[in-house]
Amino acid sequence: MPPIRPWRPALRLGLLVLGLGLTTGCVPTHPQASWRLFPLPRQQPHDGLAVVSQPDGYGLHIFLTTDTSQAGVCRPRWTPDAARLFNGNGSAPFSSGTASREEFFTAMARGPVRTALRQELEALCHARAPQRQFVWTEPPRSATDLKPALISLLEEPHLLSHPNAVKRAEKQLLGEPLDPADLRDEPRQEEP
């Protein structure tokens, strides 16, 4: 009978555990994303946030802007078309191009991202409109949450030129003769 060596059963058990771990996926095949967040200004402090969502330093550069259309209030204006972040783990991060909206919505689903956005947007509102109250609005988390921004100045009828006035100006610039129809429906000029 051969002598029993105490280390052999332990070796067999260790190899069995290692083999099971490799076959069941207990060892990650790639490193997890860090979801690092840091301010990355575009034109002024607090107007951009870097979100490193991939382990190789790629991610989103979210452009931050404010809405002051309501009197006394400053709130976020959400733009779901973030730029692609490069070198987010390096010393000189930069952005170029556009990231997918799905990646933007994935980032918006994370609480720490929304917290960082709130802090940066509140600081941006205080810098741009210190006399206004900051009001937080949640970012869109899906395409159905997106609402087009209404720009009231472009929708005011009194700010638009009359079509006949535009046509008359075009004809005058081209040196074409004016028709009587071009002069109709012209808004009257009130004399002071």
PDB file of all heavy atoms in Angstrom, residues 42 47 62-70 73-81 104 117 121 124-125 128 134-140 146-152:
ATOM      1  N   ARG A  42     -16.962  72.988 -21.137  1.00  0.00           N
ATOM      2  CA  ARG A  42     -16.873  73.259 -22.570  1.00  0.00           C
ATOM      3  C   ARG A  42     -16.455  74.707 -22.793  1.00  0.00           C
ATOM      4  O   ARG A  42     -15.457  74.979 -23.416  1.00  0.00           O
ATOM      5  CB  ARG A  42     -18.223  73.007 -23.255  1.00  0.00           C
ATOM      6  CG  ARG A  42     -18.635  71.570 -23.225  1.00  0.00           C
ATOM      7  CD  ARG A  42     -19.974  71.343 -23.918  1.00  0.00           C
ATOM      8  NE  ARG A  42     -21.000  72.252 -23.441  1.00  0.00           N
ATOM      9  CZ  ARG A  42     -21.783  72.992 -24.224  1.00  0.00           C
ATOM     10  NH1 ARG A  42     -21.667  72.941 -25.519  1.00  0.00           N
ATOM     11  NH2 ARG A  42     -22.697  73.774 -23.715  1.00  0.00           N
ATOM     12  N   ASP A  47     -20.470  73.589 -17.256  1.00  0.00           N
ATOM     13  CA  ASP A  47     -21.346  73.375 -18.419  1.00  0.00           C
ATOM     14  C   ASP A  47     -21.082  72.056 -19.133  1.00  0.00           C
ATOM     15  O   ASP A  47     -21.541  71.851 -20.256  1.00  0.00           O
ATOM     16  CB  ASP A  47     -21.277  74.551 -19.399  1.00  0.00           C
ATOM     17  CG  ASP A  47     -19.954  74.648 -20.132  1.00  0.00           C
ATOM     18  OD1 ASP A  47     -19.005  73.932 -19.765  1.00  0.00           O
ATOM     19  OD2 ASP A  47     -19.875  75.446 -21.083  1.00  0.00           O
ATOM     20  N   ILE A  62     -21.485  65.000 -21.473  1.00  0.00           N
ATOM     21  CA  ILE A  62     -22.843  65.550 -21.471  1.00  0.00           C
ATOM     22  C   ILE A  62     -22.746  67.067 -21.406  1.00  0.00           C
ATOM     23  O   ILE A  62     -22.143  67.628 -20.492  1.00  0.00           O
ATOM     24  CB  ILE A  62     -23.653  64.994 -20.288  1.00  0.00           C
ATOM     25  CG1 ILE A  62     -23.728  63.474 -20.387  1.00  0.00           C
ATOM     26  CG2 ILE A  62     -25.046  65.608 -20.257  1.00  0.00           C
ATOM     27  CD1 ILE A  62     -24.352  62.806 -19.188  1.00  0.00           C
ATOM     28  N   PHE A  63     -23.345  67.718 -22.404  1.00  0.00           N
ATOM     29  CA  PHE A  63     -23.355  69.176 -22.451  1.00  0.00           C
ATOM     30  C   PHE A  63     -24.514  69.668 -21.600  1.00  0.00           C
ATOM     31  O   PHE A  63     -25.649  69.231 -21.762  1.00  0.00           O
ATOM     32  CB  PHE A  63     -23.511  69.671 -23.887  1.00  0.00           C
ATOM     33  CG  PHE A  63     -22.368  69.280 -24.788  1.00  0.00           C
ATOM     34  CD1 PHE A  63     -22.535  69.273 -26.150  1.00  0.00           C
ATOM     35  CD2 PHE A  63     -21.129  68.930 -24.287  1.00  0.00           C
ATOM     36  CE1 PHE A  63     -21.487  68.931 -26.996  1.00  0.00           C
ATOM     37  CE2 PHE A  63     -20.081  68.588 -25.114  1.00  0.00           C
ATOM     38  CZ  PHE A  63     -20.258  68.587 -26.468  1.00  0.00           C
ATOM     39  N   LEU A  64     -24.224  70.604 -20.711  1.00  0.00           N
ATOM     40  CA  LEU A  64     -25.231  71.118 -19.793  1.00  0.00           C
ATOM     41  C   LEU A  64     -25.611  72.530 -20.186  1.00  0.00           C
ATOM     42  O   LEU A  64     -24.755  73.369 -20.458  1.00  0.00           O
ATOM     43  CB  LEU A  64     -24.690  71.093 -18.359  1.00  0.00           C
ATOM     44  CG  LEU A  64     -24.203  69.734 -17.869  1.00  0.00           C
ATOM     45  CD1 LEU A  64     -23.655  69.851 -16.460  1.00  0.00           C
ATOM     46  CD2 LEU A  64     -25.311  68.712 -17.941  1.00  0.00           C
ATOM     47  N   THR A  65     -26.897  72.779 -20.209  1.00  0.00           N
ATOM     48  CA  THR A  65     -27.403  74.113 -20.507  1.00  0.00           C
ATOM     49  C   THR A  65     -28.630  74.367 -19.647  1.00  0.00           C
ATOM     50  O   THR A  65     -29.211  73.439 -19.084  1.00  0.00           O
ATOM     51  CB  THR A  65     -27.707  74.277 -22.013  1.00  0.00           C
ATOM     52  OG1 THR A  65     -28.066  75.624 -22.276  1.00  0.00           O
ATOM     53  CG2 THR A  65     -28.800  73.350 -22.464  1.00  0.00           C
ATOM     54  N   THR A  66     -29.001  75.626 -19.541  1.00  0.00           N
ATOM     55  CA  THR A  66     -30.094  76.006 -18.642  1.00  0.00           C
ATOM     56  C   THR A  66     -31.243  76.622 -19.415  1.00  0.00           C
ATOM     57  O   THR A  66     -31.076  77.117 -20.533  1.00  0.00           O
ATOM     58  CB  THR A  66     -29.595  77.009 -17.597  1.00  0.00           C
ATOM     59  OG1 THR A  66     -29.041  78.141 -18.275  1.00  0.00           O
ATOM     60  CG2 THR A  66     -28.538  76.387 -16.709  1.00  0.00           C
ATOM     61  N   ASP A  67     -32.400  76.603 -18.795  1.00  0.00           N
ATOM     62  CA  ASP A  67     -33.615  77.195 -19.347  1.00  0.00           C
ATOM     63  C   ASP A  67     -34.069  78.286 -18.390  1.00  0.00           C
ATOM     64  O   ASP A  67     -34.403  78.009 -17.240  1.00  0.00           O
ATOM     65  CB  ASP A  67     -34.690  76.119 -19.500  1.00  0.00           C
ATOM     66  CG  ASP A  67     -36.018  76.663 -20.000  1.00  0.00           C
ATOM     67  OD1 ASP A  67     -36.072  77.831 -20.422  1.00  0.00           O
ATOM     68  OD2 ASP A  67     -37.000  75.899 -19.977  1.00  0.00           O
ATOM     69  N   THR A  68     -34.064  79.532 -18.862  1.00  0.00           N
ATOM     70  CA  THR A  68     -34.505  80.662 -18.039  1.00  0.00           C
ATOM     71  C   THR A  68     -35.718  81.347 -18.663  1.00  0.00           C
ATOM     72  O   THR A  68     -35.934  82.530 -18.468  1.00  0.00           O
ATOM     73  CB  THR A  68     -33.361  81.676 -17.857  1.00  0.00           C
ATOM     74  OG1 THR A  68     -32.892  82.073 -19.145  1.00  0.00           O
ATOM     75  CG2 THR A  68     -32.223  81.087 -17.049  1.00  0.00           C
ATOM     76  N   SER A  69     -36.507  80.586 -19.417  1.00  0.00           N
ATOM     77  CA  SER A  69     -37.663  81.179 -20.098  1.00  0.00           C
ATOM     78  C   SER A  69     -38.784  81.558 -19.127  1.00  0.00           C
ATOM     79  O   SER A  69     -39.588  82.421 -19.428  1.00  0.00           O
ATOM     80  CB  SER A  69     -38.195  80.225 -21.170  1.00  0.00           C
ATOM     81  OG  SER A  69     -38.617  79.010 -20.580  1.00  0.00           O
ATOM     82  N   GLN A  70     -38.856  80.916 -17.975  1.00  0.00           N
ATOM     83  CA  GLN A  70     -39.876  81.242 -16.978  1.00  0.00           C
ATOM     84  C   GLN A  70     -39.285  82.252 -15.998  1.00  0.00           C
ATOM     85  O   GLN A  70     -38.163  82.080 -15.512  1.00  0.00           O
ATOM     86  CB  GLN A  70     -40.313  79.981 -16.254  1.00  0.00           C
ATOM     87  CG  GLN A  70     -41.467  80.188 -15.322  1.00  0.00           C
ATOM     88  CD  GLN A  70     -41.881  78.882 -14.652  1.00  0.00           C
ATOM     89  OE1 GLN A  70     -41.331  77.828 -14.918  1.00  0.00           O
ATOM     90  NE2 GLN A  70     -42.850  78.990 -13.763  1.00  0.00           N
ATOM     91  N   VAL A  73     -36.995  81.651 -12.555  1.00  0.00           N
ATOM     92  CA  VAL A  73     -36.648  80.236 -12.440  1.00  0.00           C
ATOM     93  C   VAL A  73     -35.522  79.892 -13.410  1.00  0.00           C
ATOM     94  O   VAL A  73     -35.497  80.365 -14.547  1.00  0.00           O
ATOM     95  CB  VAL A  73     -37.880  79.348 -12.735  1.00  0.00           C
ATOM     96  CG1 VAL A  73     -37.506  77.880 -12.770  1.00  0.00           C
ATOM     97  CG2 VAL A  73     -38.968  79.596 -11.712  1.00  0.00           C
ATOM     98  N   CYS A  74     -34.603  79.064 -12.956  1.00  0.00           N
ATOM     99  CA  CYS A  74     -33.549  78.501 -13.799  1.00  0.00           C
ATOM    100  C   CYS A  74     -33.618  76.990 -13.632  1.00  0.00           C
ATOM    101  O   CYS A  74     -33.538  76.487 -12.521  1.00  0.00           O
ATOM    102  CB  CYS A  74     -32.178  79.031 -13.371  1.00  0.00           C
ATOM    103  SG  CYS A  74     -30.819  78.399 -14.363  1.00  0.00           S
ATOM    104  N   ARG A  75     -33.785  76.283 -14.743  1.00  0.00           N
ATOM    105  CA  ARG A  75     -33.897  74.825 -14.685  1.00  0.00           C
ATOM    106  C   ARG A  75     -33.055  74.201 -15.795  1.00  0.00           C
ATOM    107  O   ARG A  75     -32.649  74.887 -16.716  1.00  0.00           O
ATOM    108  CB  ARG A  75     -35.352  74.387 -14.793  1.00  0.00           C
ATOM    109  CG  ARG A  75     -36.017  74.736 -16.085  1.00  0.00           C
ATOM    110  CD  ARG A  75     -37.452  74.213 -16.172  1.00  0.00           C
ATOM    111  NE  ARG A  75     -38.102  74.208 -14.899  1.00  0.00           N
ATOM    112  CZ  ARG A  75     -39.266  74.759 -14.613  1.00  0.00           C
ATOM    113  NH1 ARG A  75     -39.944  75.328 -15.556  1.00  0.00           N
ATOM    114  NH2 ARG A  75     -39.767  74.731 -13.409  1.00  0.00           N
ATOM    115  N   PRO A  76     -32.802  72.893 -15.714  1.00  0.00           N
ATOM    116  CA  PRO A  76     -32.015  72.241 -16.764  1.00  0.00           C
ATOM    117  C   PRO A  76     -32.768  72.192 -18.089  1.00  0.00           C
ATOM    118  O   PRO A  76     -33.988  72.054 -18.111  1.00  0.00           O
ATOM    119  CB  PRO A  76     -31.815  70.820 -16.234  1.00  0.00           C
ATOM    120  CG  PRO A  76     -32.186  70.853 -14.800  1.00  0.00           C
ATOM    121  CD  PRO A  76     -33.111  71.994 -14.610  1.00  0.00           C
ATOM    122  N   ARG A  77     -32.027  72.309 -19.155  1.00  0.00           N
ATOM    123  CA  ARG A  77     -32.559  72.055 -20.503  1.00  0.00           C
ATOM    124  C   ARG A  77     -31.804  70.825 -20.993  1.00  0.00           C
ATOM    125  O   ARG A  77     -30.604  70.871 -21.192  1.00  0.00           O
ATOM    126  CB  ARG A  77     -32.332  73.233 -21.428  1.00  0.00           C
ATOM    127  CG  ARG A  77     -32.824  72.943 -22.835  1.00  0.00           C
ATOM    128  CD  ARG A  77     -32.799  74.152 -23.717  1.00  0.00           C
ATOM    129  NE  ARG A  77     -33.802  75.073 -23.205  1.00  0.00           N
ATOM    130  CZ  ARG A  77     -33.858  76.357 -23.513  1.00  0.00           C
ATOM    131  NH1 ARG A  77     -32.968  76.882 -24.306  1.00  0.00           N
ATOM    132  NH2 ARG A  77     -34.784  77.136 -23.004  1.00  0.00           N
ATOM    133  N   TRP A  78     -32.515  69.718 -21.154  1.00  0.00           N
ATOM    134  CA  TRP A  78     -31.877  68.439 -21.453  1.00  0.00           C
ATOM    135  C   TRP A  78     -31.623  68.255 -22.938  1.00  0.00           C
ATOM    136  O   TRP A  78     -32.517  68.438 -23.755  1.00  0.00           O
ATOM    137  CB  TRP A  78     -32.717  67.291 -20.913  1.00  0.00           C
ATOM    138  CG  TRP A  78     -32.791  67.332 -19.434  1.00  0.00           C
ATOM    139  CD1 TRP A  78     -33.887  67.628 -18.670  1.00  0.00           C
ATOM    140  CD2 TRP A  78     -31.719  67.114 -18.523  1.00  0.00           C
ATOM    141  NE1 TRP A  78     -33.554  67.599 -17.338  1.00  0.00           N
ATOM    142  CE2 TRP A  78     -32.229  67.281 -17.221  1.00  0.00           C
ATOM    143  CE3 TRP A  78     -30.373  66.788 -18.670  1.00  0.00           C
ATOM    144  CZ2 TRP A  78     -31.446  67.137 -16.080  1.00  0.00           C
ATOM    145  CZ3 TRP A  78     -29.604  66.643 -17.538  1.00  0.00           C
ATOM    146  CH2 TRP A  78     -30.132  66.815 -16.261  1.00  0.00           C
ATOM    147  N   THR A  79     -30.393  67.894 -23.250  1.00  0.00           N
ATOM    148  CA  THR A  79     -29.984  67.578 -24.611  1.00  0.00           C
ATOM    149  C   THR A  79     -29.485  66.135 -24.609  1.00  0.00           C
ATOM    150  O   THR A  79     -28.403  65.866 -24.078  1.00  0.00           O
ATOM    151  CB  THR A  79     -28.850  68.519 -25.072  1.00  0.00           C
ATOM    152  OG1 THR A  79     -29.284  69.864 -24.877  1.00  0.00           O
ATOM    153  CG2 THR A  79     -28.509  68.300 -26.526  1.00  0.00           C
ATOM    154  N   PRO A  80     -30.254  65.192 -25.168  1.00  0.00           N
ATOM    155  CA  PRO A  80     -29.860  63.786 -25.083  1.00  0.00           C
ATOM    156  C   PRO A  80     -28.763  63.379 -26.060  1.00  0.00           C
ATOM    157  O   PRO A  80     -28.352  62.231 -26.072  1.00  0.00           O
ATOM    158  CB  PRO A  80     -31.163  63.046 -25.388  1.00  0.00           C
ATOM    159  CG  PRO A  80     -31.898  63.981 -26.281  1.00  0.00           C
ATOM    160  CD  PRO A  80     -31.549  65.363 -25.803  1.00  0.00           C
ATOM    161  N   ASP A  81     -28.286  64.299 -26.861  1.00  0.00           N
ATOM    162  CA  ASP A  81     -27.234  63.992 -27.826  1.00  0.00           C
ATOM    163  C   ASP A  81     -25.882  64.393 -27.243  1.00  0.00           C
ATOM    164  O   ASP A  81     -25.341  65.454 -27.542  1.00  0.00           O
ATOM    165  CB  ASP A  81     -27.502  64.712 -29.150  1.00  0.00           C
ATOM    166  CG  ASP A  81     -28.818  64.263 -29.769  1.00  0.00           C
ATOM    167  OD1 ASP A  81     -29.078  63.045 -29.767  1.00  0.00           O
ATOM    168  OD2 ASP A  81     -29.593  65.113 -30.223  1.00  0.00           O
ATOM    169  N   PHE A 104     -26.828  57.415 -23.523  1.00  0.00           N
ATOM    170  CA  PHE A 104     -27.250  58.541 -22.689  1.00  0.00           C
ATOM    171  C   PHE A 104     -28.327  58.096 -21.702  1.00  0.00           C
ATOM    172  O   PHE A 104     -28.260  58.382 -20.509  1.00  0.00           O
ATOM    173  CB  PHE A 104     -27.760  59.686 -23.569  1.00  0.00           C
ATOM    174  CG  PHE A 104     -28.320  60.848 -22.807  1.00  0.00           C
ATOM    175  CD1 PHE A 104     -27.479  61.823 -22.296  1.00  0.00           C
ATOM    176  CD2 PHE A 104     -29.684  60.979 -22.599  1.00  0.00           C
ATOM    177  CE1 PHE A 104     -27.995  62.906 -21.574  1.00  0.00           C
ATOM    178  CE2 PHE A 104     -30.204  62.039 -21.897  1.00  0.00           C
ATOM    179  CZ  PHE A 104     -29.356  63.012 -21.381  1.00  0.00           C
ATOM    180  N   LEU A 117     -25.089  65.468 -12.080  1.00  0.00           N
ATOM    181  CA  LEU A 117     -25.719  66.424 -12.999  1.00  0.00           C
ATOM    182  C   LEU A 117     -26.438  67.523 -12.234  1.00  0.00           C
ATOM    183  O   LEU A 117     -26.347  68.700 -12.585  1.00  0.00           O
ATOM    184  CB  LEU A 117     -26.707  65.700 -13.919  1.00  0.00           C
ATOM    185  CG  LEU A 117     -26.107  64.863 -15.034  1.00  0.00           C
ATOM    186  CD1 LEU A 117     -27.187  64.016 -15.694  1.00  0.00           C
ATOM    187  CD2 LEU A 117     -25.423  65.741 -16.064  1.00  0.00           C
ATOM    188  N   LEU A 121     -25.505  71.405 -12.619  1.00  0.00           N
ATOM    189  CA  LEU A 121     -26.519  72.308 -13.171  1.00  0.00           C
ATOM    190  C   LEU A 121     -26.926  73.386 -12.170  1.00  0.00           C
ATOM    191  O   LEU A 121     -27.186  74.521 -12.565  1.00  0.00           O
ATOM    192  CB  LEU A 121     -27.737  71.511 -13.631  1.00  0.00           C
ATOM    193  CG  LEU A 121     -27.544  70.833 -14.985  1.00  0.00           C
ATOM    194  CD1 LEU A 121     -28.538  69.707 -15.181  1.00  0.00           C
ATOM    195  CD2 LEU A 121     -27.650  71.862 -16.101  1.00  0.00           C
ATOM    196  N   LEU A 124     -24.197  75.853 -12.363  1.00  0.00           N
ATOM    197  CA  LEU A 124     -24.295  76.585 -13.630  1.00  0.00           C
ATOM    198  C   LEU A 124     -25.408  77.627 -13.565  1.00  0.00           C
ATOM    199  O   LEU A 124     -25.232  78.767 -14.025  1.00  0.00           O
ATOM    200  CB  LEU A 124     -24.538  75.612 -14.784  1.00  0.00           C
ATOM    201  CG  LEU A 124     -24.576  76.204 -16.182  1.00  0.00           C
ATOM    202  CD1 LEU A 124     -23.243  76.853 -16.540  1.00  0.00           C
ATOM    203  CD2 LEU A 124     -24.930  75.124 -17.207  1.00  0.00           C
ATOM    204  N   CYS A 125     -26.553  77.271 -12.992  1.00  0.00           N
ATOM    205  CA  CYS A 125     -27.645  78.239 -12.847  1.00  0.00           C
ATOM    206  C   CYS A 125     -27.231  79.403 -11.964  1.00  0.00           C
ATOM    207  O   CYS A 125     -27.528  80.560 -12.271  1.00  0.00           O
ATOM    208  CB  CYS A 125     -28.893  77.558 -12.279  1.00  0.00           C
ATOM    209  SG  CYS A 125     -29.976  76.860 -13.532  1.00  0.00           S
ATOM    210  N   ARG A 128     -24.951  81.628 -14.092  1.00  0.00           N
ATOM    211  CA  ARG A 128     -25.583  82.325 -15.217  1.00  0.00           C
ATOM    212  C   ARG A 128     -26.695  83.268 -14.783  1.00  0.00           C
ATOM    213  O   ARG A 128     -26.893  84.312 -15.388  1.00  0.00           O
ATOM    214  CB  ARG A 128     -26.147  81.307 -16.214  1.00  0.00           C
ATOM    215  CG  ARG A 128     -25.094  80.612 -17.019  1.00  0.00           C
ATOM    216  CD  ARG A 128     -25.706  79.737 -18.081  1.00  0.00           C
ATOM    217  NE  ARG A 128     -24.680  79.131 -18.912  1.00  0.00           N
ATOM    218  CZ  ARG A 128     -24.923  78.199 -19.804  1.00  0.00           C
ATOM    219  NH1 ARG A 128     -26.154  77.749 -19.983  1.00  0.00           N
ATOM    220  NH2 ARG A 128     -23.932  77.700 -20.522  1.00  0.00           N
ATOM    221  N   PHE A 134     -33.150  77.955  -8.555  1.00  0.00           N
ATOM    222  CA  PHE A 134     -32.879  76.716  -9.288  1.00  0.00           C
ATOM    223  C   PHE A 134     -34.000  75.721  -9.034  1.00  0.00           C
ATOM    224  O   PHE A 134     -34.380  75.473  -7.887  1.00  0.00           O
ATOM    225  CB  PHE A 134     -31.540  76.112  -8.852  1.00  0.00           C
ATOM    226  CG  PHE A 134     -31.268  74.772  -9.473  1.00  0.00           C
ATOM    227  CD1 PHE A 134     -30.963  74.680 -10.819  1.00  0.00           C
ATOM    228  CD2 PHE A 134     -31.321  73.620  -8.720  1.00  0.00           C
ATOM    229  CE1 PHE A 134     -30.704  73.446 -11.402  1.00  0.00           C
ATOM    230  CE2 PHE A 134     -31.066  72.381  -9.286  1.00  0.00           C
ATOM    231  CZ  PHE A 134     -30.757  72.300 -10.634  1.00  0.00           C
ATOM    232  N   VAL A 135     -34.551  75.165 -10.104  1.00  0.00           N
ATOM    233  CA  VAL A 135     -35.595  74.146 -10.021  1.00  0.00           C
ATOM    234  C   VAL A 135     -35.112  72.930 -10.791  1.00  0.00           C
ATOM    235  O   VAL A 135     -34.849  73.013 -11.991  1.00  0.00           O
ATOM    236  CB  VAL A 135     -36.937  74.657 -10.600  1.00  0.00           C
ATOM    237  CG1 VAL A 135     -37.972  73.551 -10.599  1.00  0.00           C
ATOM    238  CG2 VAL A 135     -37.435  75.861  -9.822  1.00  0.00           C
ATOM    239  N   TRP A 136     -34.979  71.802 -10.110  1.00  0.00           N
ATOM    240  CA  TRP A 136     -34.496  70.574 -10.733  1.00  0.00           C
ATOM    241  C   TRP A 136     -35.631  69.870 -11.467  1.00  0.00           C
ATOM    242  O   TRP A 136     -36.734  69.736 -10.948  1.00  0.00           O
ATOM    243  CB  TRP A 136     -33.928  69.647  -9.666  1.00  0.00           C
ATOM    244  CG  TRP A 136     -33.589  68.279 -10.145  1.00  0.00           C
ATOM    245  CD1 TRP A 136     -34.248  67.118  -9.858  1.00  0.00           C
ATOM    246  CD2 TRP A 136     -32.499  67.910 -10.997  1.00  0.00           C
ATOM    247  NE1 TRP A 136     -33.633  66.056 -10.472  1.00  0.00           N
ATOM    248  CE2 TRP A 136     -32.557  66.516 -11.184  1.00  0.00           C
ATOM    249  CE3 TRP A 136     -31.488  68.632 -11.624  1.00  0.00           C
ATOM    250  CZ2 TRP A 136     -31.636  65.831 -11.971  1.00  0.00           C
ATOM    251  CZ3 TRP A 136     -30.569  67.946 -12.403  1.00  0.00           C
ATOM    252  CH2 TRP A 136     -30.649  66.565 -12.559  1.00  0.00           C
ATOM    253  N   THR A 137     -35.360  69.455 -12.685  1.00  0.00           N
ATOM    254  CA  THR A 137     -36.271  68.589 -13.428  1.00  0.00           C
ATOM    255  C   THR A 137     -35.494  67.349 -13.817  1.00  0.00           C
ATOM    256  O   THR A 137     -34.329  67.434 -14.201  1.00  0.00           O
ATOM    257  CB  THR A 137     -36.830  69.277 -14.692  1.00  0.00           C
ATOM    258  OG1 THR A 137     -35.742  69.699 -15.513  1.00  0.00           O
ATOM    259  CG2 THR A 137     -37.698  70.460 -14.350  1.00  0.00           C
ATOM    260  N   GLU A 138     -36.121  66.205 -13.689  1.00  0.00           N
ATOM    261  CA  GLU A 138     -35.462  64.933 -13.979  1.00  0.00           C
ATOM    262  C   GLU A 138     -35.082  64.837 -15.460  1.00  0.00           C
ATOM    263  O   GLU A 138     -35.834  65.300 -16.318  1.00  0.00           O
ATOM    264  CB  GLU A 138     -36.375  63.763 -13.617  1.00  0.00           C
ATOM    265  CG  GLU A 138     -36.496  63.523 -12.132  1.00  0.00           C
ATOM    266  CD  GLU A 138     -35.202  63.007 -11.519  1.00  0.00           C
ATOM    267  OE1 GLU A 138     -34.529  62.159 -12.125  1.00  0.00           O
ATOM    268  OE2 GLU A 138     -34.870  63.462 -10.407  1.00  0.00           O
ATOM    269  N   PRO A 139     -33.947  64.239 -15.749  1.00  0.00           N
ATOM    270  CA  PRO A 139     -33.551  64.064 -17.151  1.00  0.00           C
ATOM    271  C   PRO A 139     -34.397  62.991 -17.820  1.00  0.00           C
ATOM    272  O   PRO A 139     -34.966  62.129 -17.142  1.00  0.00           O
ATOM    273  CB  PRO A 139     -32.084  63.621 -17.050  1.00  0.00           C
ATOM    274  CG  PRO A 139     -31.976  62.989 -15.713  1.00  0.00           C
ATOM    275  CD  PRO A 139     -32.938  63.721 -14.826  1.00  0.00           C
ATOM    276  N   PRO A 140     -34.477  63.018 -19.142  1.00  0.00           N
ATOM    277  CA  PRO A 140     -35.222  61.961 -19.842  1.00  0.00           C
ATOM    278  C   PRO A 140     -34.489  60.629 -19.698  1.00  0.00           C
ATOM    279  O   PRO A 140     -33.274  60.579 -19.750  1.00  0.00           O
ATOM    280  CB  PRO A 140     -35.236  62.439 -21.293  1.00  0.00           C
ATOM    281  CG  PRO A 140     -34.065  63.346 -21.407  1.00  0.00           C
ATOM    282  CD  PRO A 140     -33.887  63.981 -20.065  1.00  0.00           C
ATOM    283  N   LEU A 146     -38.659  62.392 -24.166  1.00  0.00           N
ATOM    284  CA  LEU A 146     -38.141  63.590 -24.832  1.00  0.00           C
ATOM    285  C   LEU A 146     -39.277  64.479 -25.296  1.00  0.00           C
ATOM    286  O   LEU A 146     -40.238  64.019 -25.907  1.00  0.00           O
ATOM    287  CB  LEU A 146     -37.281  63.208 -26.034  1.00  0.00           C
ATOM    288  CG  LEU A 146     -35.986  62.485 -25.720  1.00  0.00           C
ATOM    289  CD1 LEU A 146     -35.292  62.088 -27.008  1.00  0.00           C
ATOM    290  CD2 LEU A 146     -35.088  63.369 -24.886  1.00  0.00           C
ATOM    291  N   LYS A 147     -39.136  65.754 -24.996  1.00  0.00           N
ATOM    292  CA  LYS A 147     -40.117  66.746 -25.443  1.00  0.00           C
ATOM    293  C   LYS A 147     -39.354  67.825 -26.189  1.00  0.00           C
ATOM    294  O   LYS A 147     -38.349  68.335 -25.688  1.00  0.00           O
ATOM    295  CB  LYS A 147     -40.851  67.350 -24.252  1.00  0.00           C
ATOM    296  CG  LYS A 147     -41.671  66.340 -23.503  1.00  0.00           C
ATOM    297  CD  LYS A 147     -42.278  66.933 -22.266  1.00  0.00           C
ATOM    298  CE  LYS A 147     -42.978  65.828 -21.498  1.00  0.00           C
ATOM    299  NZ  LYS A 147     -43.161  66.139 -20.120  1.00  0.00           N
ATOM    300  N   PRO A 148     -39.817  68.186 -27.377  1.00  0.00           N
ATOM    301  CA  PRO A 148     -39.090  69.229 -28.104  1.00  0.00           C
ATOM    302  C   PRO A 148     -39.176  70.556 -27.373  1.00  0.00           C
ATOM    303  O   PRO A 148     -40.209  70.898 -26.796  1.00  0.00           O
ATOM    304  CB  PRO A 148     -39.798  69.290 -29.460  1.00  0.00           C
ATOM    305  CG  PRO A 148     -41.142  68.684 -29.224  1.00  0.00           C
ATOM    306  CD  PRO A 148     -40.984  67.719 -28.095  1.00  0.00           C
ATOM    307  N   ALA A 149     -38.084  71.276 -27.378  1.00  0.00           N
ATOM    308  CA  ALA A 149     -38.056  72.589 -26.732  1.00  0.00           C
ATOM    309  C   ALA A 149     -38.825  73.589 -27.585  1.00  0.00           C
ATOM    310  O   ALA A 149     -38.609  73.681 -28.795  1.00  0.00           O
ATOM    311  CB  ALA A 149     -36.619  73.049 -26.552  1.00  0.00           C
ATOM    312  N   LEU A 150     -39.729  74.295 -26.959  1.00  0.00           N
ATOM    313  CA  LEU A 150     -40.482  75.319 -27.667  1.00  0.00           C
ATOM    314  C   LEU A 150     -39.747  76.643 -27.533  1.00  0.00           C
ATOM    315  O   LEU A 150     -39.451  77.084 -26.431  1.00  0.00           O
ATOM    316  CB  LEU A 150     -41.888  75.453 -27.077  1.00  0.00           C
ATOM    317  CG  LEU A 150     -42.761  74.210 -27.171  1.00  0.00           C
ATOM    318  CD1 LEU A 150     -44.077  74.441 -26.447  1.00  0.00           C
ATOM    319  CD2 LEU A 150     -43.008  73.836 -28.615  1.00  0.00           C
ATOM    320  N   ILE A 151     -39.454  77.215 -28.653  1.00  0.00           N
ATOM    321  CA  ILE A 151     -38.784  78.510 -28.657  1.00  0.00           C
ATOM    322  C   ILE A 151     -39.838  79.537 -29.030  1.00  0.00           C
ATOM    323  O   ILE A 151     -40.213  79.683 -30.184  1.00  0.00           O
ATOM    324  CB  ILE A 151     -37.596  78.513 -29.640  1.00  0.00           C
ATOM    325  CG1 ILE A 151     -36.633  77.398 -29.247  1.00  0.00           C
ATOM    326  CG2 ILE A 151     -36.910  79.864 -29.635  1.00  0.00           C
ATOM    327  CD1 ILE A 151     -35.508  77.182 -30.202  1.00  0.00           C
ATOM    328  N   SER A 152     -40.328  80.221 -28.028  1.00  0.00           N
ATOM    329  CA  SER A 152     -41.492  81.084 -28.211  1.00  0.00           C
ATOM    330  C   SER A 152     -41.243  82.220 -29.194  1.00  0.00           C
ATOM    331  O   SER A 152     -42.145  82.631 -29.901  1.00  0.00           O
ATOM    332  CB  SER A 152     -41.951  81.639 -26.863  1.00  0.00           C
ATOM    333  OG  SER A 152     -40.909  82.398 -26.291  1.00  0.00           O
TER     334      SER A 152
END
